[in-house]
Amino acid sequence: MADFDPVTKAVVPAAGLGTRFLPATKATPKEMLPIVDKPAIQYVVEEAASAGLLDLLMVTGKNKRSIEDHFDRAFELEEVLEAKGDEHRLSQVREPASLATLHYVRQGEPKGLGHAVLCAKQHVGDHPFACLLGDDLIDRRDALLKRMIEVRDTYGGSVIALMEVPKEQVSLYGVATIEATAEDDVVKVTDLVEKPPADEAPSNWAIIGRYVIDPAVFEVLENTPPGRGGEIQLTDALRTLAGRGSEEGGPVHGVLFRGRRYDTGDKLDYLRTVVKFAADREDLAGEFVPWLREFLDEVG
């Protein structure tokens, strides 16, 4: 195995306006919308921590202060719960602050995911890093991020998570042109395109919100003009890295993910996610699933 720098840092872009969830997100960050009883962003931080990434930078924006508060201590609330002897809720309240060491930087303007990643340059420096998007939740039983770090340790460069999607959905994603490797779940990425029309997509393998990125991406992003939607696209920068050798920050590999992914990016997918998480909870499923069956029978 080649000697590549270890991945120890994670970046979580969380500066989006959440317009698809208005008016709920007028004063509440979309990342703080609950999946049952835990904000979506906490699942993402837990995933990074479980992969050993305990140095985490959150890229936020205006009106996102509640994210920082959530991952901080709440001494007054803790004192009330402690006085009541409510150890279970006390541990739940304390848990977010103990998951990782969190840092914060603001993305001053909404210039796209590539620009949000570029905001992490000073914190990340010359180190490879993971990037986790809050709209995608990966089931805790599927160690996707750990596998991506293993692939980076083997091949160097950058690694993206790819998931096969129906042809009619490829226009919603960045899509990869891929070549097989000796490993069944690993491919070499030779080209990338952001949100292509279905009849022009090079494959059905779409990028989902998990990346392990070489620090050479920062130099590329600084010289990447706005792309689709007038935004600086991370996909465009990774396309550049895919054409480079290891001495210049390339190549790019993909992990073919066939596990459980939950999308919280729009209202319908968010509702599906909440139902799936509730049905999987031991403390809720016993009552929730039978009620859900009865309800579905009622509505036909």
Side-chain angles (χ1 to χ4, degrees):
M1 182 182 295
D3 185 18
F4 297 112
D5 290 343
V7 181
T8 61
K9 298 175 183 286
V11 174
V12 178
L17 298 176
T19 52
R20 283 178 285 186
F21 287 88
L22 287 170
T25 50
K26 178 182 177 182
T28 301
K30 69 172 183 174
E31 296 83 5
M32 291 298 294
L33 295 178
I35 308 297
V36 186
D37 56 2
K38 189 188 299 183
I41 194 69
Q42 184 171 334
Y43 291 98
V44 177
V45 175
E46 288 174 350
E47 181 186 351
S50 68
L53 308 180
L54 303 181
D55 181 346
L56 190 147
L57 177 71
M58 198 87 67
V59 183
T60 66
K62 291 183 178 180
N63 301 322
K64 301 279 185 169
R65 184 60 183 270
S66 61
I67 296 178
E68 296 184 39
D69 291 340
H70 180 72
F71 291 101
D72 199 356
R73 295 288 298 273
F75 292 105
E76 291 184 1
L77 178 57
E78 291 176 23
E79 288 178 0
V80 170
L81 294 173
E82 196 164 14
K84 290 181 177 180
D86 193 339
E87 295 297 329
H88 175 65
R89 288 189 175 87
L90 180 61
S91 65
Q92 288 181 314
V93 168
R94 285 177 172 170
E95 182 185 14
S98 64
L99 291 171
T101 300
L102 269 73
H103 311 268
Y104 300 89
V105 65
R106 282 194 173 188
Q107 181 185 17
E109 300 177 69
K111 294 183 178 180
L113 177 57
H115 181 260
V117 171
L118 187 55
C119 291
K121 178 181 179 180
Q122 184 173 358
H123 181 81
V124 170
D126 295 326
H127 302 282
F129 62 100
C131 180
L132 299 84
L133 305 191
D135 286 348
D136 281 334
L137 304 185
I138 304 299
D139 195 288
R140 63 186 182 280
R141 294 163 291 191
D142 297 319
L144 171 61
L145 193 54
K146 287 183 179 179
R147 177 58 178 148
M148 294 174 69
I149 292 171
E150 290 173 356
V151 173
R152 153 75 194 189
D153 290 342
T154 301
Y155 297 97
S158 299
V159 183
I160 59 178
L162 297 172
M163 194 166 191
E164 199 166 20
V165 300
K167 186 174 181 179
E168 60 270 18
Q169 293 182 16
V170 294
S171 61
L172 303 175
Y173 297 88
V175 181
T177 302
I178 59 177
E179 294 178 355
T181 70
E183 300 184 77
D184 290 341
D185 65 333
V186 179
V187 294
K188 184 175 182 181
V189 176
T190 60
D191 200 5
L192 292 163
V193 59
E194 180 68 16
K195 298 181 178 178
D199 58 351
E200 297 178 16
S203 74
N204 284 18
W205 288 99
I207 307 171
I208 58 174
R210 296 295 179 272
Y211 309 79
V212 175
I213 307 177
D214 190 272
V217 75
F218 295 125
E219 169 264 324
V220 177
L221 286 169
E222 288 173 335
N223 294 282
T224 297
R228 189 175 181 89
E231 298 180 336
I232 298 174
Q233 299 290 347
L234 180 59
T235 301
D236 293 340
L238 290 169
R239 182 187 189 196
T240 298
L241 292 181
R244 292 185 175 185
S246 58
E247 70 283 353
E248 296 179 299
V252 175
H253 285 82
V255 170
L256 305 182
F257 181 61
R258 298 180 174 92
R260 290 155 286 199
R261 169 213 178 209
Y262 309 99
D263 189 349
T264 63
D266 62 45
K267 283 179 266 193
L268 186 56
D269 285 329
Y270 171 79
L271 291 172
R272 291 187 181 118
T273 298
V274 173
V275 170
K276 288 178 180 178
F277 272 62
D280 197 42
R281 286 268 296 263
E282 291 183 2
D283 60 329
L284 297 175
E287 294 185 38
F288 178 68
V289 173
W291 172 85
L292 185 59
R293 289 195 180 102
E294 291 178 6
F295 176 73
L296 293 175
D297 288 340
E298 289 176 8
V299 299

